[in-house]
Amino acid sequence: MVREFELPDVGEGVAEGEIVDWLVEEGDPVEEDQPVAEVETDKAVVDVPSPVDGSVQEIHAAAGEMVPVGTVIITFAEEGDADSGEATTTEESKETDAATEASAATGDVETTAEETADEETPTASGRVFAAPSARRLARELGVDIGSIDGSGPGGRVSEHDVRAAAEDAKEVDEEGSDSPEPATTRVEGSSGTDAGEGDTTGGGAAQASSTGQPSASGSAAGGATAGESADRERTLAAPATRKLAADSGVDIDAVPTDEERDGEAFVTPAAVESYAEAQQAAQDADRAAVAESRGEERIPYRGVRRTIGQQMAESKYTAPHVTHHDEVDVTALVEARTDLKELADEQGISLSYMPFVMKACVAALREFPMVNSMLDEEAEEIVQKKYYNIGVATATDAGLMVPVVEDADRKNMLQLASEMNELVEKARERTISREEMQGGTFTITNVGAIGGEYATPIINHPEVAILALGAIKEKPRVVDGEIVPRKVMTLSLSIDHRVVDGAIAAQFTNRVEEFLENPQRLLLEA
């Protein structure tokens, strides 16, 4: 039995994913729940498991390809089918060919084989590759699936192709036999005369080949490839097809086609989509060639990186940012951490300065709840949070991620260190879940880890504040009238000035500093 596997919905709001890598090849045996592919969404990289025991029959998407959720990406032959697969296919072919001939003789082009085949439907014109949902839709709409030009890989017929064919047929019926050009629009040159539609060009400027020049071939019967311009003066196409061309920025007169109606070139939706894809590929190749000649590298802006960028832009352009800077003497903190580090190591926990800062921030947030809030713009309310979920900004290969340590106020120093270390490691390995990066009420970022001192961090929207920690450096300070070397750390607190006033920001920062200057005070915090 053949099993089609669609890209699953791996998280709320995720509409597509990029096939990062295939972990199997066609013909490989697989077990149920065995990872077969790595897929990157706009949230994270996830493993896609096999739903069955069996073997890989066909892979439908290439590594690096963006695939919408619900698209078939791989086909499995379930266990028990591998040995008899070839013989079964041969017998099915004979049976379905016979059924096709019988149906063709009675005028019924679509055969009952469509109901038994999992992916391909034999018709009088050969095998049609289509998803079961597309075949079912074709039956419901009364469309001959064998007459549809598939726009998917290998000519695969999609639901979009079926609907477009049904719409074309409906428009032909509505126009009736009295109309000389039912369901299509005749376009006479670029002037649009005799067009019958407001948009005579189908939208967009005339498309050229990858060389920048249109093809000399204007024949409706071929001659131009999908990447070349047919450059006709007259084109027949359904209004829906013209709209598709306009939306794709394609000149419909430039779309090559082998189909004719009434002696004129006829363009289908599949031809428009194929031509648009070819033009895009040519443009991408041109950009890549230019970039290479200039010593540039083009990296796709998508997935996690694009999501990070969108969130940063939303925060920066939504919340008016103000950043408060200060310095704090953390000599006592350095000593306390040194004393406790050995005890933490004995329990297999790496103790950094971050858990101390988290504890200090929670204590200050209790005193200044406005910093631990959010603005509900729709309800026109400021929501003060009575829980303390601290996000820790983490640099990864994919960009900045923010794992969230929940209920930081209820955990001791070693518990905070252990949970934070685990989440940070998962973020860097790209195995962290979306839920583990949600629900934060306040965020801390450590620019000192790379030697930085001051920063103007962007708030992790919809939070209203973020604290950046600078590097701890030895600096001269006056103590009891004498200049002595002390360990000094810088703090940079960015606030959403719609919610948090500058005075509150300064008071909050001062309270954090008091706890860091005297870390023994953190022992009094629950």
Side-chain angles (χ1 to χ4, degrees):
M1 179 178 178
V2 175
R3 174 75 173 271
E4 289 182 331
F5 185 75
E6 299 175 348
L7 179 65
D9 183 356
V10 294
E12 183 181 351
V14 174
E16 62 181 3
E18 177 185 358
I19 306 296
V20 177
D21 191 24
W22 284 105
L23 307 179
V24 294
E25 296 180 356
E26 293 182 0
D28 285 355
V30 293
E31 298 178 355
E32 186 175 358
D33 295 328
Q34 173 187 334
V36 296
E38 291 180 345
V39 175
E40 179 177 357
T41 69
D42 58 357
K43 306 297 182 184
V45 173
V46 296
D47 287 336
V48 175
S50 167
V52 297
D53 292 328
S55 61
V56 178
Q57 184 180 69
E58 185 176 0
I59 292 175
H60 300 282
E65 182 177 343
M66 294 296 294
V67 180
V69 168
T71 301
V72 176
I73 59 174
I74 187 171
T75 304
F76 297 98
E78 292 195 44
E79 196 170 65
D81 293 340
D83 295 336
S84 58
E86 184 175 349
T88 301
T89 301
T90 303
E91 292 301 319
E92 287 180 352
S93 177
K94 292 178 180 178
E95 293 174 5
T96 53
D97 286 345
T100 299
E101 292 174 4
S103 298
T106 61
D108 183 10
V109 179
E110 190 171 351
T111 73
T112 58
E114 183 178 48
E115 299 176 357
T116 59
D118 281 329
E119 184 174 352
E120 45 185 313
T121 303
T123 67
S125 58
R127 290 187 177 275
V128 175
F129 289 86
S133 59
R135 293 196 301 276
R136 184 169 56 253
L137 181 63
R139 289 196 298 271
E140 292 172 355
L141 299 179
V143 175
D144 173 17
I145 200 168
S147 66
I148 300 174
D149 291 329
S151 61
R156 184 181 183 79
V157 177
S158 67
E159 291 184 42
H160 171 78
D161 298 328
V162 174
R163 289 192 178 93
E167 187 173 349
D168 289 348
K170 180 181 178 181
E171 289 168 351
V172 170
D173 292 340
E174 289 177 350
E175 287 291 335
S177 58
D178 294 336
S179 175
E181 295 176 33
T184 62
T185 305
R186 187 183 301 273
V187 177
E188 196 89 39
S190 59
S191 65
T193 59
D194 212 17
E197 293 285 338
D199 183 0
T200 60
T201 63
Q207 302 293 311
S209 69
S210 59
T211 63
Q213 298 296 326
S215 168
S217 172
S219 170
T225 65
E228 297 176 330
S229 170
D231 198 22
R232 290 180 301 274
E233 294 184 355
R234 189 191 297 268
T235 298
L236 295 180
T241 305
R242 293 191 178 281
K243 183 178 185 303
L244 176 62
D247 293 343
S248 303
V250 167
D251 176 7
I252 202 162
D253 291 331
V255 179
T257 179
D258 290 333
E259 295 195 27
E260 289 187 1
R261 289 193 182 179
D262 299 330
E264 300 289 349
F266 181 78
V267 172
T268 64
V272 172
E273 291 176 348
S274 177
Y275 181 68
E277 290 173 1
Q279 290 296 298
Q280 185 61 52
Q283 292 172 11
D284 291 345
D286 288 343
R287 281 197 297 267
V290 171
E292 184 177 357
S293 68
R294 294 177 177 175
E296 300 172 347
E297 178 184 3
R298 286 184 169 265
I299 301 172
Y301 181 61
R302 60 194 184 202
V304 175
R305 168 56 68 185
R306 181 177 60 187
T307 301
I308 293 171
Q310 291 170 342
Q311 290 175 340
M312 291 291 185
E314 179 185 8
S315 177
K316 191 65 176 177
Y317 293 115
T318 300
H321 281 56
V322 173
T323 305
H324 175 81
H325 301 285
D326 211 340
E327 291 184 337
V328 55
D329 185 337
V330 293
T331 303
L333 174 62
V334 172
E335 293 172 353
R337 185 245 182 182
T338 301
D339 293 340
L340 296 175
K341 189 175 185 304
E342 185 175 345
L343 295 176
D345 289 341
E346 291 176 359
Q347 298 186 41
I349 299 173
S350 175
L351 182 63
S352 66
Y353 293 105
M354 185 62 76
F356 293 91
V357 178
M358 293 170 72
K359 271 293 186 184
C361 286
V362 168
L365 289 170
R366 282 199 180 106
E367 188 172 346
F368 300 96
M370 198 64 77
V371 185
N372 195 56
S373 63
M374 64 166 283
L375 178 61
D376 187 340
E377 296 183 68
E378 185 175 345
E380 296 185 339
E381 296 175 336
I382 296 173
V383 183
Q384 290 187 354
K385 308 294 180 67
K386 303 301 183 182
Y387 51 92
Y388 304 91
N389 297 343
I390 308 300
V392 181
T394 304
T396 73
D397 292 340
L400 201 64
M401 296 187 182
V402 186
V404 175
V405 178
E406 296 184 350
D407 301 320
D409 57 317
R410 302 180 184 179
K411 297 168 182 174
N412 62 39
M413 202 75 69
L414 292 184
Q415 287 175 326
L416 287 176
S418 177
E419 186 171 337
M420 181 197 70
N421 293 341
E422 181 181 352
L423 289 171
V424 167
E425 186 65 22
K426 290 171 71 174
R428 288 174 176 161
E429 293 179 351
R430 308 286 297 281
T431 59
I432 192 168
S433 68
R434 189 170 60 94
E435 291 74 15
E436 291 172 315
M437 295 189 290
Q438 291 182 325
T441 62
F442 182 83
T443 296
I444 305 172
T445 181
N446 185 10
V447 299
I450 54 176
E453 282 196 78
Y454 290 98
T456 55
I458 296 177
I459 298 165
N460 189 19
H461 189 74
E463 298 168 17
V464 297
I466 181 173
L467 179 66
L469 309 178
I472 297 177
K473 296 184 177 181
E474 198 168 60
K475 296 183 179 181
R477 285 294 183 268
V478 177
V479 179
D480 297 330
E482 296 184 1
I483 298 177
V484 295
R486 304 290 287 181
K487 300 294 185 181
V488 177
M489 179 169 66
T490 55
L491 302 178
S492 301
L493 179 72
S494 288
I495 58 169
D496 181 345
H497 217 332
R498 298 175 302 173
V499 178
V500 183
D501 295 331
I504 293 178
Q507 292 167 359
F508 172 84
T509 305
N510 290 340
R511 190 67 75 242
V512 171
E513 291 175 5
E514 290 176 12
F515 284 108
L516 297 181
E517 288 174 347
N518 304 284
Q520 67 272 16
R521 289 188 55 182
L522 294 174
L523 299 176
L524 301 178
E525 296 296 318

